[in-house]
Amino acid sequence: MRNQNRLTQRHSGERLRAVLAAIDEANSADPNMISFNGCERPKEQAHAEMMTDWVVRLDPAVDDAQLVAARAHHLRRWVLVRSDYPEGRAGYLRWRKDQSKRHAAEVSEIVTNAGYEQDFASDVAAIVSKRGLKTDPRVQTHEDALCLVFLQTQLDALTDKLGNSHIAEVLAKTLAKMSPAARELARGLPLSPQGEALLADALAECSNH
C-alpha cells in the first residue's frame, strides 16, 4: 500500500473515502487468501490495493473514477464461480462477461449510495467494463494495471499449470494488450528466476513486432 497515504491526501473527499472503504469491506469477505506484504490477506482485497497502486503509478494525474474502478475491478469476484459455466473458451468468455457486468453494477450501486451522481457511476462502470479501450486513455491505464497485477501474482503458478510453451502464448497476448510504458514497468517485477526469463523472452519477442 505504498501509494495509499499519497492517494488519500490528494483525493480526500468524504465520498471517495466512503466508496473505497465500502469496496474494501466487500472484498474482505473473500474466502480465498494470499500472502501480501508478508501477511495473509483476502485475495480480492489485496489485488484491489495492487491495482490502485499501479493505476496511481501509471497515471500520476489519476481521477476519482479511475481510483474507484481500480479498487472495484474484481469486486466480490468469488461469488460467480467459474465451474458453474461450461468448460472451454466459450464458457470462460461468458463467465468473464457476466463478471464484468456484475462488477460494474455493484460498484455503481456503491457510488450512488455514497452520493455520487449517476454520470460518475456510469463513468466508473465504463472503466471497469473496459469500454472505450481504444479511445479513453484511462481505460488503457486500467488494462495496464490489470496486466501488471496478473504478471505480479499469477505468472509463476500459471507456468507450473500450463508449461513453458503455453505460458509463452499467454504472455504474448498479455503484453500485446499493454502500453509501452506498462511493458517497461513489467521488466522490474519481482518474479522467480523462471518467471523473469519467460517474461524477458516474451518482451524481446514483443519488441520485434
Side-chain angles (χ1 to χ4, degrees):
M1 296 196 302
R2 58 188 176 278
N3 287 319
Q4 297 304 303
N5 290 336
R6 178 160 63 93
L7 186 157
T8 53
Q9 287 169 6
R10 281 180 35 210
H11 302 265
S12 56
E14 286 293 335
R15 290 184 303 178
L16 178 61
R17 288 201 297 269
V19 165
L20 297 182
I23 294 169
D24 290 345
E25 177 64 24
N27 279 333
S28 71
D30 190 351
N32 306 295
M33 305 293 287
I34 63 169
S35 179
F36 179 58
N37 288 341
C39 301
E40 286 294 308
R41 298 281 306 284
K43 177 183 174 183
E44 295 308 338
Q45 191 181 58
H47 280 192
E49 292 177 8
M50 293 180 196
M51 270 289 292
T52 306
D53 278 354
W54 280 120
V55 165
V56 172
R57 186 171 176 183
L58 286 158
D59 183 2
V62 63
D63 64 28
D64 287 4
Q66 288 175 272
L67 293 173
V68 174
R71 204 59 150 244
H73 74 290
H74 282 168
L75 180 59
R76 298 194 324 118
R77 195 182 200 211
W78 66 93
V79 303
L80 200 61
V81 183
R82 170 66 181 95
S83 59
D84 288 344
Y85 289 74
E87 292 293 327
R89 180 167 176 77
Y92 172 74
L93 292 176
R94 182 178 152 202
W95 172 72
R96 284 279 301 271
K97 184 177 180 180
D98 287 351
Q99 284 280 29
S100 179
K101 287 181 178 178
R102 188 185 57 76
H103 296 148
E106 290 193 7
V107 71
S108 292
E109 182 177 0
I110 288 174
V111 299
T112 53
N113 286 345
Y116 279 102
E117 300 295 332
Q118 184 57 50
D119 285 350
F120 180 83
S122 298
D123 198 20
V124 171
I127 297 172
V128 169
S129 301
K130 296 192 285 188
R131 295 197 299 271
L133 184 58
K134 301 299 183 182
T135 58
D136 187 342
R138 301 175 307 160
V139 182
Q140 181 60 57
T141 296
H142 189 86
E143 180 71 87
D144 285 344
L146 279 168
C147 292
L148 287 162
V149 172
F150 164 73
L151 294 172
Q152 185 178 3
T153 61
Q154 299 181 52
L155 177 57
D156 289 330
L158 202 58
T159 300
D160 291 340
K161 179 180 178 180
L162 300 179
N164 287 10
S165 178
H166 193 174
I167 201 66
E169 298 176 16
V170 172
L171 282 170
K173 291 177 180 177
T174 300
L175 294 175
K177 295 188 290 185
M178 298 168 69
S179 68
R183 289 197 291 267
E184 193 60 33
L185 285 172
R187 297 181 187 278
L189 291 174
L191 303 172
S192 68
Q194 180 188 33
E196 286 183 0
L198 288 166
L199 181 58
D201 288 345
L203 284 164
E205 185 67 23
C206 183
S207 66
N208 291 331
H209 290 82

